[in-house]
Amino acid sequence: MNPVPTIALAGVHGYGHSYLARLRPRIAAGTFRWAGVADPRLGVGALPEGLPADVPRYGDLADLLAEQRPDVVAIATPLHTHADLAERALRSGADVVLEKPAVTGLGEFAHLLDLAQAEGRSVQVGFQSLGSAALDHVRTRVAEGRIGEVTGFSAAGCWVRARSYFTRAPWAGRRRLGERVVADGVLTNPLAHAVATALAVAGRQSLEDVLAVEVDPFRVNDIETDDTTSVVVSLRDSPDLVLAATLAAAEPGEPFVVVEGTRGRMTLYYTLDVVVEELPGRPPATTQHPRVDLLDDLLRHRLDGRPLRSPLASAGAFTRVLDAIVNGPRPRVVRPDAFRVVELPDGDERRELPGVEEAVHEALRRRSTFSGCGVDWT
Ligand SMILES: NC(=O)c1ccc[n+]([C@@H]2O[C@H](COP(=O)([O-])OP(=O)(O)OC[C@H]3O[C@@H](n4cnc5c(N)ncnc54)[C@H](O)[C@@H]3O)[C@@H](O)[C@H]2O)c1
């Protein structure tokens, strides 16, 4: 193994910018060296910020891997390209940092897991909230019995997305593209972290941990997939997990995961690494926690073999939920007089579903789906 591992990045625009920004200080500090970047859009326009001109550039990962032997390949490309690109990277002998959702189906999941094992390589999935010590804090406090016996897990997110979000790429807002499963629904892509973090808090991350999934999807926007969805996940030897999320909120809220107990509750604001513990007769206690970047976590794993914070195997339960959403009922179309269209600058617009925040909270309170709560949107 090279003393300083080399890294290649597939997908340099979009979320790839975040990899360029995170790699810049790490390359300056000598913890990584560039092997190259691959993106079919590299020839278009100026080089993205943070990509030095001397880094070898390729139109696709296969060409890069034909000339370079990166120790690590980071993949920040559209969802339906992940499995093929990760397979190429693993077969070349690299460890992989694979953006979420790692794959868009159970077959791909099993195949990639087997391949990584056969190649003796590691796959870190880009659920960055799993690098947070806030997660360990919640799990420890719950295991200590701080909130009594656990009665339920939930997660919710109310975000706002404009039309331009759904038109930015051909795969955006799609369930499928040709033969490929895309899975760009609210809980499988933008708010996938809520699902994965809740499963991690519950300690139920493997394929076998998910017993049943009830999916209740809606769409407010003019897209193929769902943007307002609730799900009840039955977990092995565990209380249920209720998920409720929308991209048609009036204003963006902070997504969270909740553990309810007989004595109190813990809320994890997973994008902020903040935990709020509520016990009867005490003011809420708020704590802030550090997080490790998943690139650094992979480096440490390569050095001393410590377990990854977000290994592919731990995306099993998430992938089962994704599979249930993708192969479940088609999203029900919210009727035009149930939502409002809000004009935005530059000809953009967004759709807002009045009352959706209340419906999200009601779903969590009643531990039911939106339809189970009697929403009247269609
Ligand atoms: N972890 C997070 O918080 C977070 C946030 C946003 C997006 N993401 C993930 O990042 C990934 C990319 O999302 P995006 O919105 O940036 O997508 P995007 O469509 O903007 O694509 C990103 C880049 O990948 C390139 N690309 C497409 N096919 C490729 C291929 N076969 N090989 C190499 N490059 C290719 C595109 O040209 C583009 O430059 C997705 O998996 C998404 O879920 C993660």
Side-chain angles (χ1 to χ4, degrees), residues 26 49 63 365:
R26 287 170 174 79
E49 203 186 316
D63 292 344
R365 197 179 67 77

Side-chain angles (χ1 to χ4, degrees), residues 16 59 61 111 138 161 205 211 222 276 291 345:
L61 186 62
H111 177 64
V138 174
R161 288 292 180 269
Q205 292 176 282
L211 303 180
D222 195 11
V276 180
R291 81 162 61 176

